[in-house]
Amino acid sequence: MDSLTQIVLGAACGEIILGKKIGNKALLFGAIGGTIPDLDVFIGGLLYDNEINAMVFHRGFMHSILFSILGAFLFGWITHKLYNTGKRLNSTTQKDWIWLFFVSLFTHPILDCFTPYGTQLFAPFSDYRIAFNNISVVDPLYTLPFLICLIVVLFLKRTNSKRLKWTKAGIYISSAYMIFTIGNKLYIDAVFEKSFEKAGVSYNRFSAQPTILNNILWYAVAETEDKYHLTFYSLFDKSKTAEKIITVDKQHNLIDMNDENLQKLAWFSNGYYNVYKKEKIGTYKYTDLRYPMLNPDDINTSVFNFTVFYENEEWDILPFNGSPPSKEDFAKFTERFWGI
């Protein structure tokens, strides 16, 4: 999920493990632990000149179970060595710090698994990405109540028993909302199944996920032999099925997708993508159709698209190289959110 949410969850882990011993510093170190896995965005940029490889590196090894274990011992050992000096000598143990970093590191990819992006939890042994698709990458209803509870904790002394109660309250509230989104996902999947059946779309598979910032308006993409069928459904819709379905061509044959880098790009999209030629010769628009359009009526407002080009004897991308969304697109999104 987004950085703020991971910071909040990591801080809560720190408070649970070491709050009684070191107070607000436990929140700080937990937040640091919860942030570490997402540093792969910057590390990938340093390791790879090719943007495709850098993008694929994100939510890879640094989001795995193995990294959580190795990182816990490494960061726990380093932090204990630096912290266990002067007046703080023997106030904490190395085991405390290893446990703090393990919990904050491990809960990060676990939380990410519930989003549509996908997390390589078993890397480097497997590149399978776990994505339950039940909550948006950014969802204020998950994050804000949790954040408010931890802000209260900041103003309580470390010896105050209410610190733990407020921390647990944040965990319980956010977890209850997560359970709601899972149930909502099961319901919405059934709605989309009925919707495609009603529209006569005989699909091979489909994927559904909530749109950004909410769990009310959902988007689905269904795959057939040579096309994709895109639709939206809001919990505020009067109908029991999605009524409008947009159909787009795959056009996968426009580029030789057997190329190693392009195969990585297709893997990243879980096979849900289409390709269009751009005006400039040798460049293509690649749209990751797992993610919804901002304007539900216009496929060209899909935010997750790249310009694909061939340079220095390899395929590469310019990420998110499109026109910024307009006020009209935002208005269409808001209108669709409230149902039809």
Side-chain angles (χ1 to χ4, degrees):
M1 293 187 72
D2 63 285
S3 297
L4 176 59
T5 303
Q6 296 291 6
I7 286 172
V8 170
L9 179 59
C13 294
E15 174 62 27
I16 293 292
I17 305 302
L18 271 177
K20 286 185 178 180
K21 291 186 176 181
I22 63 174
N24 287 343
K25 290 188 285 293
L27 295 170
L28 172 62
F29 284 106
I32 292 172
T35 301
I36 288 173
D38 276 344
L39 296 181
D40 60 4
V41 172
F42 305 103
I43 295 174
L46 296 175
L47 292 176
Y48 301 102
D49 294 329
N50 186 283
E51 288 291 338
I52 296 176
N53 290 318
M55 183 175 65
V56 169
F57 184 77
H58 179 46
R59 291 210 187 177
F61 175 66
M62 289 183 65
H63 281 70
S64 68
I65 297 173
L66 181 60
F67 179 81
S68 298
I69 296 171
L70 297 178
F73 281 96
L74 175 62
F75 300 126
W77 177 78
I78 292 174
T79 306
H80 179 250
K81 287 292 183 184
L82 296 175
Y83 190 88
N84 192 40
T85 58
K87 294 181 180 179
R88 300 189 297 267
L89 187 65
N90 297 326
S91 60
T92 60
T93 66
Q94 184 170 302
K95 182 180 178 180
D96 289 334
W97 290 106
I98 291 173
W99 186 235
L100 180 148
F101 277 102
F102 173 74
V103 176
S104 58
L105 288 170
F106 183 61
T107 53
H108 181 123
I110 293 299
L111 182 60
D112 279 344
C113 285
F114 293 99
T115 69
Y117 197 95
T119 307
Q120 297 177 60
L121 204 59
F122 305 110
F125 309 108
S126 170
D127 64 358
Y128 178 76
R129 288 182 302 163
I130 299 174
F132 299 130
N133 290 20
N134 59 281
I135 192 169
S136 172
V137 172
V138 183
D139 192 324
L141 287 183
Y142 178 91
T143 307
L144 291 181
F146 204 166
L147 175 61
I148 291 170
C149 289
L150 288 194
I151 290 175
V152 173
V153 171
L154 282 171
F155 292 94
L156 299 175
K157 294 182 179 181
R158 67 180 178 85
T159 55
N160 193 326
S161 61
K162 291 183 179 180
R163 285 180 67 104
L164 184 59
K165 292 180 180 178
W166 277 100
T167 303
K168 287 183 176 180
I171 294 172
Y172 294 155
I173 293 170
S174 60
S175 297
Y177 179 71
M178 184 65 78
I179 292 171
F180 159 75
T181 67
I182 293 171
N184 202 23
K185 162 72 173 172
L186 296 174
Y187 167 71
I188 290 292
D189 278 354
V191 169
F192 283 129
E193 286 179 5
K194 293 177 183 177
S195 301
F196 290 126
E197 181 180 353
K198 180 180 177 182
V201 177
S202 182
Y203 57 86
N204 300 323
R205 60 176 183 152
F206 80 92
S207 176
Q209 63 164 290
T211 56
I212 195 70
L213 298 174
N214 74 98
N215 212 256
I216 301 297
L217 179 61
W218 288 69
Y219 161 84
V221 50
E223 180 182 15
T224 58
E225 190 65 29
D226 57 354
K227 298 181 185 297
Y228 294 108
H229 305 269
L230 321 174
T231 189
F232 288 79
Y233 184 80
S234 170
L235 294 181
F236 296 132
D237 283 355
K238 296 177 182 178
S239 173
K240 296 298 182 182
T241 56
E243 297 300 317
K244 183 174 182 179
I245 296 177
I246 298 175
T247 300
V248 298
D249 294 323
K250 287 184 176 181
Q251 302 195 123
H252 291 179
N253 59 349
L254 290 181
I255 312 179
D256 181 11
M257 295 303 296
N258 291 317
D259 175 82
E260 181 181 359
N261 284 354
L262 294 182
Q263 283 187 338
K264 292 178 182 177
L265 194 57
W267 167 85
F268 173 79
S269 303
N270 196 25
Y272 291 106
Y273 68 93
N274 72 336
V275 182
Y276 288 94
K277 286 185 178 180
K278 301 192 74 170
E279 291 184 6
K280 184 178 179 181
I281 296 176
T283 63
Y284 301 84
K285 179 181 179 181
Y286 177 102
T287 303
D288 188 328
L289 295 173
R290 292 176 303 158
Y291 298 97
M293 307 85 77
L294 184 60
N295 180 345
D297 298 325
D298 187 358
I299 182 61
N300 294 314
T301 61
S302 178
V303 178
F304 225 88
N305 67 79
F306 319 102
T307 294
V308 181
F309 63 95
Y310 191 78
E311 186 174 85
N312 299 325
E313 299 186 347
E314 67 174 357
W315 287 97
D316 204 346
I317 58 173
L318 296 174
F320 311 110
N321 188 244
S323 303
S326 64
K327 292 182 180 179
E328 290 76 14
D329 294 330
F330 280 109
K332 284 287 187 179
F333 176 84
T334 303
E335 180 182 346
R336 187 65 189 85
F337 172 88
W338 291 110
I340 54 177

